Amino acid sequence: MSLSSVRNPPPFLDSEDQEPEYDTRDLDSDDGEDIFTGTSNKPFASTPPETDPSSDIFSEEGSYTVQKHTAAKTNGIQSDEELDLFAEATVELTLTTPNSRGRKEIIGPTEPLSTTVNTPGKLHMANTSNKPSEEVEEEESGDTFELNIAVTNPEKIGDGMNAYMTYKVSTQTTLPAFRSKTFSVRRRFSDFLGLYEKLSVKYNLMGCIIPPPPQKSVVGMTKVKVGKEDPSSAEFVEKRRAALERYLQRVVSHPALLQDSDVQEFLEREELPRAVNTQALSGSGLLKMINKASDAVNKMTIKMNESDNWFESKLQEVENEEQLLRRLHASVDSLVNHRKELCSNTAMFAKSVAMLGSSEENSALSRALSQLAEVEDKLEQLHQEQAFSDFFILTELLADYVRLLGAVRGCFEQRMKAWQRWQEAQSTLQKKREAEAKLLWANKPDKLQQAKEDITEWEAKVGQCERDFERISSTLRKEVHRFEKEKCRDFKHHIVKYLESLLRSQHRLVKCWEAFLPEAKAIV
């Protein structure tokens, strides 16, 4: 499923032309060490100032609205803080029913990656493949609500290998299903995994595309547990925080999942029961690996007699696209690493030029070399900011869609399993009928009644399996349609955003060289 998830990289530092810049502050130290390169920037306070809990994260800029077809209302909450966590993290939701029923802080509040998600209307179970897109969009229209979710303030609780991270999940909404309009809770990573497990059990058999959570990282979390003032640990925590935020925003932008009681409990309930079966090396984890291997074998050995070529061709498209996105993700990840290396080399070059300028006797040449060193320092900052853009705008987008396409492929596999259950029920019914015929031939009336009851039971099972298969097929078709539409909108937004970041970066680079050119020409 594709949900338009827009990630804003950290803002730039202030510049003379007042262009937006990325904030490269360190995530867990007061030295402002950059999470990619370790270069120092402006220091910041790791502990946020105490403010009124009712207004510490919301402001007028993050006001929420309920939009009907004929009217719109706004309800803003004033805030004294300049940072608005929900300025752009807007999720527009369409519903079909009116109601559903010892800490150590290592990272201060950071601006979440903004996400705008526009959900379609209710989850239609009817087949819409032969309907024009205008009719489908008209059917999907409905009352629109605004829901803002931000995951912020990662905190480390405990020490050593028993330590774990918690995250503040803040919600601002006008949905009547929630008890209040603004609320926040703290959740640990296993709670997010537990939510995914609950949703998978409920909706996988229905053909719904369940957004997958971020992947586990035993190595990254171990560094966080035992590391102190480690830039790589801070980088890992920030990546996970942003990924968890995108995961939640995709979940609530699904019209069926938003109304689920487990989702609402996750967002509202102060304390959740401890999530189980989420450990990577637990017995349940090994059982999942065995089941996946068994499903792969069944897929190779059992050929489904596909009656609708649309599903066969669409599955092939999904598998091909997943492979292509994996390759593209590897290329963009390599680009990010290249920019990090370029940033480091530029810093070394700037230092060398500065040392040469200080030892030069010719005053004009010395001044020019000093100016060149300053220009290279600025270029280092630009490379660093562009590395942020590459990662947060492109790399994370591609990684998310690789996982989402895996979820789409999993829905096709669930449909095949439904077809297999239908065929097995038909086979069993045929055997029961043959057994009844043998009893009639052998003239055994004492067993004939039981045989007839078995046939009636299995005829009902066959009918139910057939209805289940038709329902999951219809739902999957609708889910894929919505996924493709959201994916197109999501990629368009991120590509435009990435190009704009490149243009800003190149424009600033040109200005740096234009300012240095007169100094170079003045060398005598």
Side-chain angles (χ1 to χ4, degrees), residues 35 74 77 79 81 94 132 134 143 158 191-192 233 242 252 342 352 367-368 392 400 416 419 450 479 503:
I35 62 173
T74 60
I77 300 178
S79 170
E81 290 190 0
T94 306
E134 293 79 4
D143 294 341
D191 294 331
F192 290 85
S233 298
V252 300
L342 178 61
S352 300
R367 184 171 56 253
F392 283 106
D400 286 350
M416 186 183 72
W419 179 83
Q450 181 62 40
E479 287 281 274
L503 286 174

Side-chain angles (χ1 to χ4, degrees), residues 284-345:
S284 60
L286 296 176
L287 181 60
K288 291 177 184 177
M289 295 175 60
I290 295 174
N291 290 336
K292 288 183 179 180
S294 176
D295 293 341
V297 173
N298 291 335
K299 185 178 179 181
M300 292 185 293
T301 57
I302 301 177
K303 178 65 176 178
M304 178 179 177
N305 296 324
E306 187 60 75
S307 58
D308 192 336
N309 293 331
W310 182 89
F311 288 98
E312 186 174 2
S313 62
K314 191 60 64 175
L315 176 59
Q316 187 65 37
E317 290 178 12
V318 169
E319 292 175 343
N320 292 339
E321 186 176 7
E322 184 179 3
Q323 294 299 321
L324 293 174
L325 281 181
R326 287 184 183 276
R327 296 176 186 173
L328 181 58
H329 176 265
S331 299
V332 177
D333 192 53
S334 177
L335 175 62
V336 172
N337 293 329
H338 169 72
R339 290 199 192 276
K340 293 180 186 177
E341 185 178 355
L342 178 61
C343 181
S344 177
N345 293 336

Side-chain angles (χ1 to χ4, degrees), residues 8-26:
N8 285 337
F12 291 169
L13 297 176
D14 292 338
S15 64
E16 295 178 357
D17 52 1
Q18 299 298 321
E19 293 174 343
E21 302 173 353
Y22 294 107
D23 186 359
T24 54
R25 300 179 300 183
D26 187 310

Side-chain angles (χ1 to χ4, degrees), residues 26 85 101 103 221 236 267 289 309 314 364 373 382 391 432 446-447 481 485 492 520:
D26 187 310
L85 295 181
R101 268 315 333 161
R103 292 188 174 182
M221 196 58 205
F236 169 78
L267 296 176
M289 295 175 60
N309 293 331
K314 191 60 64 175
L382 288 176
F391 177 78
K432 295 293 183 181
D446 54 329
K447 297 183 179 180
H481 168 75
K485 183 171 63 174
K492 174 186 175 181

Side-chain angles (χ1 to χ4, degrees), residues 223-495:
K223 290 182 178 180
V224 173
K225 291 179 178 181
V226 301
K228 293 183 179 180
E229 305 296 332
D230 186 358
S232 63
S233 298
E235 177 185 355
F236 169 78
V237 171
E238 171 60 15
K239 288 181 179 180
R240 173 167 284 187
R241 180 208 64 77
L244 291 175
E245 182 175 86
R246 295 193 306 273
Y247 163 67
L248 273 188
Q249 288 166 345
R250 284 194 167 95
V251 168
V252 300
S253 63
H254 194 294
L257 302 184
L258 173 62
Q259 302 177 72
D260 185 82
S261 58
D262 287 322
V263 174
Q264 296 180 8
E265 183 182 63
F266 181 90
L267 296 176
E268 281 189 303
R269 186 171 174 179
E270 194 66 29
E271 296 290 338
L272 288 179
R274 178 70 183 276
V276 295
N277 300 331
T278 59
Q279 290 78 14
L281 301 179
S282 63
S284 60
L286 296 176
L287 181 60
K288 291 177 184 177
M289 295 175 60
I290 295 174
N291 290 336
K292 288 183 179 180
S294 176
D295 293 341
V297 173
N298 291 335
K299 185 178 179 181
M300 292 185 293
T301 57
I302 301 177
K303 178 65 176 178
M304 178 179 177
N305 296 324
E306 187 60 75
S307 58
D308 192 336
N309 293 331
W310 182 89
F311 288 98
E312 186 174 2
S313 62
K314 191 60 64 175
L315 176 59
Q316 187 65 37
E317 290 178 12
V318 169
E319 292 175 343
N320 292 339
E321 186 176 7
E322 184 179 3
Q323 294 299 321
L324 293 174
L325 281 181
R326 287 184 183 276
R327 296 176 186 173
L328 181 58
H329 176 265
S331 299
V332 177
D333 192 53
S334 177
L335 175 62
V336 172
N337 293 329
H338 169 72
R339 290 199 192 276
K340 293 180 186 177
E341 185 178 355
L342 178 61
C343 181
S344 177
N345 293 336
T346 302
M348 294 177 59
F349 176 71
K351 291 180 181 179
S352 300
V353 172
M355 294 176 61
L356 179 61
S358 63
S359 62
E360 177 60 45
E361 295 182 357
N362 186 302
S363 59
L365 180 57
S366 176
R367 184 171 56 253
L369 291 174
S370 298
Q371 291 291 330
L372 178 60
E374 293 180 6
V375 171
E376 292 296 333
D377 284 333
K378 293 180 181 179
L379 296 187
E380 176 201 355
Q381 182 67 23
L382 288 176
H383 296 323
Q384 181 175 286
E385 293 166 356
Q386 193 58 52
F388 270 98
S389 295
D390 293 343
F391 177 78
F392 283 106
I393 298 179
L394 285 187
T395 309
E396 291 291 80
L397 172 72
L398 296 174
D400 286 350
Y401 271 93
V402 168
R403 292 195 296 269
L404 282 168
L405 285 171
V408 175
R409 182 164 39 81
C411 290
F412 279 91
E413 293 173 359
Q414 289 294 335
R415 178 176 176 271
M416 186 183 72
K417 290 180 181 180
W419 179 83
Q420 291 175 357
R421 289 191 294 269
W422 181 22
Q423 300 305 308
E424 291 171 358
Q426 286 183 326
S427 177
T428 303
L429 176 61
Q430 182 64 27
K431 292 178 181 179
K432 295 293 183 181
R433 287 172 174 168
E434 292 174 357
E436 181 193 29
K438 290 180 181 179
L439 291 175
L440 287 172
W441 181 261
N443 194 18
K444 295 181 179 181
D446 54 329
K447 297 183 179 180
L448 192 59
Q449 183 61 31
Q450 181 62 40
K452 290 182 177 180
E453 292 178 357
D454 291 343
I455 290 175
T456 302
E457 177 184 356
W458 279 98
E459 284 177 344
K461 290 183 178 179
V462 168
Q464 182 61 45
C465 290
E466 182 179 4
R467 289 190 294 273
D468 290 343
F469 176 73
E470 293 297 332
R471 183 175 65 251
I472 193 174
S473 298
S474 177
T475 303
L476 179 57
R477 187 189 294 269
K478 181 63 180 176
E479 287 281 274
V480 170
H481 168 75
R482 186 168 66 89
F483 174 85
E484 292 178 338
K485 183 171 63 174
E486 293 290 339
K487 180 187 66 177
C488 181
R489 183 160 53 221
D490 205 4
F491 269 80
K492 174 186 175 181
H493 180 91
H494 282 80
I495 290 174

Side-chain angles (χ1 to χ4, degrees), residues 90-191:
T90 300
V91 182
E92 294 183 357
L93 302 162
T94 306
L95 304 179
T96 59
T97 57
N99 284 300
S100 308
R101 268 315 333 161
R103 292 188 174 182
K104 175 185 178 182
E105 184 171 336
I106 64 171
I107 300 178
T110 58
E111 183 178 358
L113 302 179
S114 301
T115 299
T116 301
V117 181
N118 298 319
T119 63
K122 60 184 179 180
L123 183 63
H124 295 282
M125 298 300 177
N127 190 327
T128 60
S129 60
N130 297 324
K131 296 182 180 181
S133 59
E134 293 79 4
E135 284 189 27
V136 174
E137 292 177 357
E138 183 177 354
E139 289 180 3
E140 291 177 345
S141 63
D143 294 341
T144 302
F145 299 84
E146 189 169 316
L147 175 64
N148 304 318
I149 292 181
V151 178
T152 57
N153 292 28
E155 291 181 3
K156 181 179 177 182
I157 298 179
D159 296 313
M161 294 305 296
N162 293 325
Y164 60 92
M165 298 295 301
T166 65
Y167 304 84
K168 182 180 179 181
V169 180
S170 303
T171 307
Q172 182 185 53
T173 181
T174 58
L175 286 170
F178 294 96
R179 293 190 296 268
S180 59
K181 295 181 178 180
T182 59
F183 45 88
S184 61
V185 293
R186 294 206 72 86
R187 296 287 180 256
R188 56 189 299 179
F189 182 69
S190 59
D191 294 331

